[in-house]
Amino acid sequence: MDKKENIERINQKIASGFERIEHKLTEANAVTELFETLFTCVENEFHVPFVWLTLADIKKNLPVIEAVQSKPFLKDRLNIVKPEFFQSIFSSGLKPVLVNENLTNYYRLFPAHKKYFVKSLALVPFKINGELSASWNNGDAVQSRYTPDMETNLLQKLSRFLSARLEQLI
């Protein structure tokens, strides 16, 4: 097998993983189930060691915040930040942010009661009630796991799907 075929096989495996996650998310019947499924599937499908949720502290997010805080599994993986800080991180809109250097700026996204030893991050913004005000975040102790030059189309697609699915459940 040549290098091109190997890359195509790897890319197809990754795309299939995202499709399986999307399918599982369609089965969620509540906001909490949606996020529990997302976190568990991302962890299992892609062996991501740290997955959590960041929400901007705005009125539109209140139903989601209350739902997430009602489940210990999710509450421990939640951080609520000022909307200005959230917007500064995601100034490019719905494009995921991949970083593996100078992570200090992103520490405020981490849950208050959980500390992760991370060297790379994939921060995936999504909309709640039509407004960009949340992100699901993936962290890894391997610095090369997420790099700024990586393609993010599949993350963006799952982000849009998550937003749409969340809209149905709120």
Side-chain angles (χ1 to χ4, degrees):
M1 184 179 316
D2 70 7
K3 186 176 179 178
K4 183 179 178 185
E5 288 173 333
N6 192 35
I7 290 171
E8 287 174 0
R9 185 180 54 79
I10 291 168
N11 287 342
Q12 182 55 44
K13 183 179 176 185
I14 292 169
S16 294
F18 277 98
E19 289 173 13
R20 282 190 292 277
I21 292 172
E22 270 190 31
H23 176 74
K24 283 286 200 185
L25 293 178
T26 64
E27 299 171 0
N29 294 312
V31 169
T32 53
E33 191 178 346
L34 182 73
F35 288 115
E36 287 172 341
T37 301
L38 175 68
F39 293 175
T40 302
C41 286
V42 168
E43 288 170 350
N44 293 334
E45 191 69 46
F46 298 113
H47 310 287
V48 176
F50 310 112
V51 182
W52 71 97
L53 180 64
T54 302
L55 298 172
D57 189 11
I58 60 172
K59 194 175 221 173
K60 281 185 170 185
N61 284 356
L62 193 55
V64 176
I65 291 169
E66 289 174 348
V68 169
Q69 288 179 331
S70 74
K71 295 283 191 170
F73 173 79
L74 295 174
K75 184 178 181 179
D76 288 345
R77 296 168 176 236
L78 170 66
N79 194 22
I80 300 168
V81 298
K82 293 189 180 301
E84 301 80 26
F85 175 69
F86 188 84
Q87 292 301 324
S88 73
I89 297 294
F90 298 106
S91 60
S92 63
L94 286 172
K95 185 167 175 46
V97 175
L98 305 180
V99 293
N100 64 351
E101 294 179 354
N102 303 318
L103 301 182
T104 309
N105 295 337
Y106 305 97
Y107 288 170
R108 286 193 279 166
L109 295 173
F110 291 24
H113 302 293
K114 280 217 177 210
K115 298 301 173 203
Y116 302 130
F117 178 72
V118 297
K119 291 188 177 180
S120 64
L121 296 166
L123 311 169
V124 187
F126 61 95
K127 293 181 179 182
I128 296 178
N129 292 317
E131 187 173 342
L132 176 61
S133 58
S135 67
W136 108 72
N137 312 291
N138 303 328
D140 202 298
V142 177
Q143 188 171 17
S144 61
R145 176 71 185 259
Y146 304 111
T147 62
D149 62 334
M150 290 179 162
E151 181 59 52
T152 62
N153 286 343
L154 293 173
L155 286 171
Q156 285 179 282
K157 182 177 181 273
L158 186 57
S159 167
R160 288 190 303 272
F161 185 84
L162 177 65
S163 295
R165 190 71 186 102
L166 189 57
E167 191 79 24
Q168 295 169 346
L169 296 172
I170 295 177

